[in-house]
Amino acid sequence: MLFGGHPRGAHNSIIDVSGIAIGNVSVSDSSRDVHTGVTAIVHERLTRGKTLPAGFHCGNGYGKFVGSTQVQELGTIETPMLLTSTLSTFRVADALISWLQRRERRSSVNPVVGEINDSWLSPGADRPIEEAHVFSALDGADDGALAVGAVGAGTGACALGFKSGIGSASRLIEVRGEQRTVGALVLSNMTGQLRIGGRVVTPESLQLPAAGPLSEVGSCVTVVAVDFPASAVELTRFARRAVFGIGRAGAGYSHGSGDYALAFSADPTVANPLSETDLDRIFTAVLDCVEESVIGVFWPHRQSLSAPAAPHTPCRFGTYRSKGRRDDGADTWGARRDGAPRDRLFLRGAGSSDARVARW
């Protein structure tokens, strides 16, 4: 599916930003109704007492984001960032401190931990994340292919009426005359209505039961990473666009939703302020990455647990070469500029004669 005009990175994920590694540990036990996990976003500098420039934005503060006030005050992040479930937040923060202290003792540590409430799919969970899970996520973080969907902290996530989880995307853009990378990772668990290409897609339109709580609660945590120097003020502006970006995909920004974003640079170099032209490119890339991260996560997994994903059965992918318009006058999809055929995603709702939703 096309999200903006900037090209994707090699993996189309946050790991395209040099130095970023991701670790996921899922904790699932159907006999106890536990489906949760922890996700670690790691940069080597953050494991040995060094800092990186960072900015933070809170769209709605109905939630917990450990360490955010110091990030806002100092404009830096000093530890890997962890994502998990609501009741495990402080246990995870404590384990992160223990992991760091075993590597290098410090007199002060500001752990950074974001959370979502995954209790709809994990009603039997009473702080199931243990220190060993956190250590495993941190020690196992790598910069290889990033798993998305119901993994790590996204194991029990539901968003926009469907099973959701961890999503990610990246964009290659020109910054200060050089090709640079913007990446995003989104843990989506918010209410609202899924929007794809301007069209609302609901579970009801697909004759499926809605996934997630009926009340207007939920959360979304977004992490943005870039590989070029940026100030804390600029990074805060990137984080703000990340919170705007989930609205493109249909987030409801409800009273009970904790909508947070943290942006950081993998390059600690101090540089001159970004130009207005560069800022516009970056803002657009952040919005596109976040929108794709939210929407893309619905397709990888089939129906699981008791939360239906956007199903594979009514979805089919095809490759078409087109030279004109349909008989009804609607535009058809042509080949890409490089001559390769353009893939299309078909999603038929009940009684719908127009199957087109988006193009890939």
Side-chain angles (χ1 to χ4, degrees), residues 293-312:
S293 295
V294 174
I295 292 176
V297 78
F298 293 111
W299 311 119
H301 40 195
R302 301 176 183 274
Q303 294 190 34
S304 59
L305 309 178
S306 57
H312 281 211

Side-chain angles (χ1 to χ4, degrees), residues 208-296:
L208 291 170
L214 298 177
S215 58
E216 290 293 309
V217 298
S219 296
C220 187
V221 182
T222 302
V223 181
V224 174
V226 301
D227 64 357
F228 50 83
S231 68
V233 171
E234 290 165 340
L235 289 161
T236 299
R237 299 185 74 190
F238 304 165
R240 188 173 296 120
R241 268 66 185 183
V243 173
F244 296 163
I246 66 173
R248 281 185 172 186
Y253 300 110
S254 63
H255 161 71
S257 183
D259 301 314
Y260 303 102
L262 184 145
F264 70 96
S265 172
D267 186 340
T269 307
V270 177
N272 292 327
L274 293 158
S275 69
E276 293 181 2
T277 301
D278 284 342
L279 286 170
D280 285 343
R281 288 195 196 98
I282 298 163
F283 291 164
T284 299
V286 170
L287 289 165
D288 292 344
C289 281
V290 171
E291 182 183 15
E292 181 172 3
S293 295
V294 174
I295 292 176

